[in-house]
Amino acid sequence: MDEVFRALADPSRRLLLDSLNANSGQTLRELCAGMDMARQSVSKHLAVLAAANLVTTVWRGREKLHYVNAEPINAIAERWINQYDRKRVRALADLKQALEQKPLSDNDFVYTTYIDTTPEQLWRALTDPAFTRQYWGLEIESDWAEGSPMTWSDNGRTGDEEQVVLESKPYERLVYAWHTFTKEWADNAGVGEDVLAKLAAERRSTVSFDIEPQEGSVKLTVVHGNFDEGSTLRTMISQGWPALLASLKTLLETGKPLRS
């Protein structure tokens, strides 16, 4: 947590976070255009933010895109906030509220977390129905070969098979298309007909999981993207993924998920 507090202490780094919060997925060039500082200084500040896991990056071709990562703020607010003085509490609460109450952008949702586990065990947690049932509340089944269909089962309700695996590199990277929004799914999830109609009209999104071994842990970066402009789903998943990934992390580290 010390790295997070040190990173947030600098006003220039807070401005960079503000810029990414307003317009997530910026290149270094775009960030420099909005900052009154040299490119080298912006790069150094971004390196500090990345070291604190407050900023995560994703390559799109030759472009390196930067995103705010809310995981450290959520962790402080939920686990450590009472141990710090009132000024820090107010600052963290304001940032946490900003991250949670509005979508970061209508573009990709990006979230990075570090889990004390192995790449093999994390892969199993993402692909084994016995694991997904514990932290996700549903079973996801596939042979996980590229092009293979996936099936989601929730309380006996089975999803469509149009959802397919797009990329599969065991223990490294998994990409698949998101499921179709059916009336059966909506009834089970408690989603109203008006919201279902909006979701059904949107193009199918995709989600990727990148697994990188670290010293004694694994870095997991989740990117959910391919949204329509003003996507209803984009707003919904920005609330769902942090809780889901926190439950996954807790399951792998303690043997018990957050979800009941």
Side-chain angles (χ1 to χ4, degrees):
M1 292 300 129
D2 289 343
E3 286 185 336
V4 176
F5 284 120
R6 282 195 291 268
L8 292 173
D10 187 280
S12 295
R13 289 195 281 272
R14 292 198 297 271
L15 284 175
L16 280 170
L17 287 176
D18 287 341
S19 177
L20 288 173
N21 189 41
N23 184 18
S24 202
Q26 295 186 61
T27 63
L28 176 60
R29 182 184 69 257
E30 291 169 333
L31 284 167
C32 290
M35 301 291 293
D36 187 20
M37 66 178 77
R39 182 185 179 93
Q40 184 177 15
S41 298
V42 174
S43 295
K44 288 181 178 180
H45 284 310
L46 286 172
V48 174
L49 292 169
N53 201 26
L54 287 162
V55 166
T56 191
T57 58
V58 175
W59 285 94
R60 288 288 184 270
R62 296 183 178 180
E63 289 190 324
K64 186 178 183 181
L65 307 182
H66 300 79
Y67 296 83
V68 172
N69 185 41
E71 194 273 341
I73 302 301
N74 288 334
I76 292 173
E78 293 171 3
R79 302 177 186 179
W80 302 99
I81 199 166
N82 292 331
Q83 298 184 26
Y84 297 93
D85 62 60
R86 296 173 70 181
K87 276 189 177 181
R88 281 175 169 171
V89 168
R90 284 197 297 270
L92 288 168
D94 289 345
L95 182 54
K96 180 174 184 288
Q97 184 178 38
L99 290 170
E100 289 184 344
Q101 289 190 349
K102 72 171 185 175
L104 298 179
S105 74
D106 286 332
N107 299 317
D108 293 354
F109 173 85
V110 180
Y111 198 89
T112 298
T113 187
Y114 291 81
I115 306 174
D116 292 334
T117 189
T118 64
E120 293 80 8
Q121 193 70 351
L122 178 52
W123 180 268
R124 185 183 174 196
L126 294 173
T127 60
D128 188 334
F131 268 90
T132 61
R133 185 192 311 118
Q134 293 183 68
Y135 68 90
W136 207 319
L138 50 81
E139 298 179 4
I140 305 177
E141 299 183 46
S142 175
D143 64 13
W144 302 109
E146 292 184 13
S148 292
M150 298 169 57
T151 300
W152 288 32
S153 300
D154 184 3
N155 294 327
R157 300 175 173 86
T158 303
D160 68 285
E161 294 191 356
E162 293 181 18
Q163 183 183 23
V164 296
V165 178
L166 301 175
E167 188 175 346
S168 182
K169 297 179 181 178
Y171 321 131
E172 296 181 16
R173 179 172 168 81
L174 178 65
V175 185
Y176 54 74
W178 204 237
H179 65 86
T180 299
F181 297 103
T182 63
K183 187 177 187 305
E184 186 178 49
W185 168 85
D187 290 342
N188 190 51
V191 172
E193 291 184 4
D194 56 337
V195 175
L196 174 60
K198 292 179 180 179
L199 292 171
E202 295 180 3
R203 63 183 171 185
R204 191 181 297 270
S205 61
T206 60
V207 62
S208 66
F209 303 86
D210 284 293
I211 300 169
E212 301 176 50
Q214 304 287 309
E215 292 185 5
S217 66
V218 175
K219 177 183 177 182
L220 173 64
T221 300
V222 178
V223 180
H224 196 154
N226 195 38
F227 298 107
D228 289 334
E229 184 176 355
S231 169
T232 297
L233 178 60
R234 174 62 177 80
T235 301
M236 293 172 67
I237 59 95
S238 68
Q239 303 298 316
W241 274 119
L244 180 68
L245 295 172
S247 187
L248 168 62
K249 175 181 171 70
T250 302
L251 173 63
L252 288 171
E253 292 183 345
T254 70
K256 185 178 180 179
L258 292 179
R259 297 174 67 97
S260 57

